[in-house]
Amino acid sequence: MNLSSFTLNYNPQQQQQQQHQLMEFLLLQLLRFSWIAATLPIIISSIPKLNFLRQILLSFAKRGKIMHSTSQKFTVPQKFFLHFYVLASIWTTFLLVATWMYAHRMVPVVAEPLSYSTITSFLTGGSTIRAGSDKLRQGYVAWQAVFLLLLMEAHVLRRLFETIYVFNYSPSARMHIIGYLTGLFFYIAAPLSLCGDCALDVFDCLTNLVTEFIVKGKNQMPVPEIELWLLLNPLNRLGWKHWIGAAVFSWGWIHQYRCHKILGSLRDSRQADEYVIPRGDWFDIVSSPHYLSEIVIYASFVVATGGSNLTIWLLFVFVVANLAFAAVETHSWYRRKFEDYPSSRFAIIPFIL
């Protein structure tokens, strides 16, 4: 009787769903643990009594002009920055296309008239995609991930362009191998964190498509009918918080490009071992405006999700801690290097740091 009852109650589909939820939970916890583990040493090193830890982290973080006068053991050329953005561009593009395909299959949006609930949702920053079922809620999460990955794509493609055409790294500029490996990890984990809530569903969808292609063959695969409106309309129906996030992103994106152009032009206009004080744009306010604008860019992801995504919050905290740590050291280097360095400049955050 007990065995028969167990057999009748056994549901393979339910068990598979539970395993999927467990894997999704573990993936998110792994991402969150990674950001916490990367952030804590930076925060702890700010304690005065733990200056030795700060020196260790500085030895890993130093690069470029700061590395000239230090040991080059376990270092790589700074021009290897290109590897970060090649990897980031390929990985983010893959995640974006895969997530977009999944979202399109999840939510085949049809036109629907505005209703009181729709207007109320929009005015409060919510989505006008109706969430009356689990499938539509999953679709909303997927379309939000598409939106965030689109922003990330715009960011990493611009950084790839700048690394190739704007920056002219000195042959003697180096960075520590730990910093290099950290950069590779960051550009794998950061895009994944933006779509972490639906990443496993996306990979399952992609796996099913590949399996179907292998089983049926190319000739028997259904030809997808793709309409541009159906691909873009759900993005248009996300809440205003997403578009405020996009505006914040654009603000940081534009200023970072301007600051990188300024830094790139300095090397073109000076001798190989000569350094000058950068001026213009946000350089008139802080010593590392390209870091400040990077913080603004990652803050836009928090804004776009309404501050409701813990994984993205932890990603943002790591970016702030890491860049603030590097900016303080850069600011100190500038002040030691130039006697006439503007005293009104802050390291990275105006009026605060």
Side-chain angles (χ1 to χ4, degrees):
M1 180 66 178
N2 291 336
L3 178 61
S4 175
S5 176
F6 173 79
T7 304
L8 291 174
N9 292 331
Y10 176 71
N11 189 332
Q13 185 176 0
Q14 185 178 8
Q15 185 182 39
Q16 185 178 8
Q17 184 179 4
Q18 291 174 347
Q19 291 176 347
H20 180 86
Q21 291 174 347
L22 176 61
M23 291 297 295
E24 185 178 84
F25 172 80
L26 292 176
L27 174 62
L28 288 175
Q29 297 310 309
L30 177 61
L31 287 169
R32 292 168 182 175
F33 173 80
S34 298
W35 295 128
I36 293 172
T39 305
L40 278 180
I42 301 174
I43 296 176
I44 294 174
S45 68
S46 63
I47 301 175
K49 292 184 179 181
L50 298 178
N51 187 58
F52 72 94
L53 178 58
R54 178 178 179 82
Q55 295 304 317
I56 294 174
L57 292 180
L58 281 175
S59 67
F60 295 155
K62 287 180 179 179
R63 60 176 181 261
K65 51 184 172 285
I66 300 176
M67 288 293 290
H68 283 176
S69 58
T70 59
S71 172
Q72 295 190 4
K73 191 176 181 180
F74 303 117
T75 66
V76 296
Q78 192 177 2
K79 64 182 180 181
F80 279 16
F81 257 69
L82 177 64
H83 299 174
F84 298 160
Y85 303 113
V86 170
L87 173 65
S89 299
I90 294 173
W91 177 234
T92 304
T93 300
F94 169 76
L95 289 177
L96 174 60
V97 173
T99 306
W100 212 325
M101 289 174 55
Y102 166 74
H104 180 65
R105 290 167 67 93
M106 282 293 298
V107 189
V109 178
V110 296
E112 57 185 12
L114 285 176
S115 64
Y116 173 78
S117 61
T118 300
I119 296 173
T120 303
S121 176
F122 180 81
L123 291 176
T124 56
S127 167
T128 58
I129 299 175
R130 290 182 178 174
S133 69
D134 289 339
K135 184 175 181 180
L136 288 185
R137 280 192 291 271
Q138 292 171 0
Y140 170 73
V141 170
W143 282 110
Q144 177 171 265
V146 170
F147 188 87
L148 297 176
L149 288 171
L150 274 172
L151 298 182
M152 189 67 174
E153 181 85 346
H155 177 51
V156 298
L157 288 178
R158 195 206 75 241
R159 295 294 286 116
L160 178 63
F161 170 82
E162 291 171 345
T163 305
I164 298 173
Y165 296 107
V166 176
F167 290 118
N168 181 18
Y169 294 111
S170 169
S172 59
R174 313 284 296 181
M175 62 178 167
H176 199 281
I177 187 66
I178 298 297
Y180 174 73
L181 295 176
T182 301
L184 293 177
F185 162 77
F186 178 85
Y187 283 107
I188 292 174
L192 188 59
S193 295
L194 299 181
C195 61
D197 289 337
C198 63
L200 284 184
D201 292 323
V202 171
F203 290 135
D204 285 347
C205 177
L206 194 62
T207 301
N208 291 337
L209 286 175
V210 172
T211 303
E212 184 180 4
F213 178 83
I214 294 174
V215 173
K216 292 184 177 180
K218 178 180 178 182
N219 295 330
Q220 296 187 15
M221 286 290 291
V223 179
E225 297 181 2
I226 300 177
E227 296 184 23
L228 184 60
W229 174 247
L230 292 180
L231 290 176
L232 299 179
N233 186 37
L235 296 175
N236 185 54
R237 297 171 66 186
L238 292 172
W240 56 260
K241 64 185 179 184
H242 298 90
W243 297 106
I244 292 179
V248 173
F249 173 88
S250 300
W251 184 45
W253 192 96
I254 291 170
H255 280 285
Q256 188 173 63
Y257 178 69
R258 289 176 178 174
C259 294
H260 283 162
K261 287 282 287 184
I262 292 172
L263 288 175
S265 67
L266 294 181
R267 177 161 294 280
D268 295 335
S269 61
R270 60 179 170 83
Q271 299 298 323
D273 295 325
E274 179 187 354
Y275 293 97
V276 296
I277 301 174
R279 302 181 188 278
D281 202 73
W282 285 357
F283 275 108
D284 295 333
I285 307 172
V286 296
S287 295
S288 298
H290 49 312
Y291 291 166
L292 173 59
S293 53
E294 184 90 353
I295 290 174
V296 172
I297 286 171
Y298 282 89
S300 72
F301 299 141
V302 176
V303 174
T305 55
S308 61
N309 190 304
L310 178 59
T311 308
I312 294 178
W313 263 112
L314 293 174
L315 164 62
F316 172 66
V317 171
F318 168 76
V319 169
V320 173
N322 182 53
L323 295 182
F325 182 83
V328 168
E329 179 65 17
T330 300
H331 185 66
S332 298
W333 184 91
Y334 275 129
R335 297 183 70 175
R336 292 193 304 268
K337 183 72 176 179
F338 303 102
E339 294 182 358
D340 60 340
Y341 193 72
S343 59
S344 61
R345 287 191 191 180
F346 292 84
I348 185 171
I349 302 177
F351 310 108
I352 298 177
L353 180 64

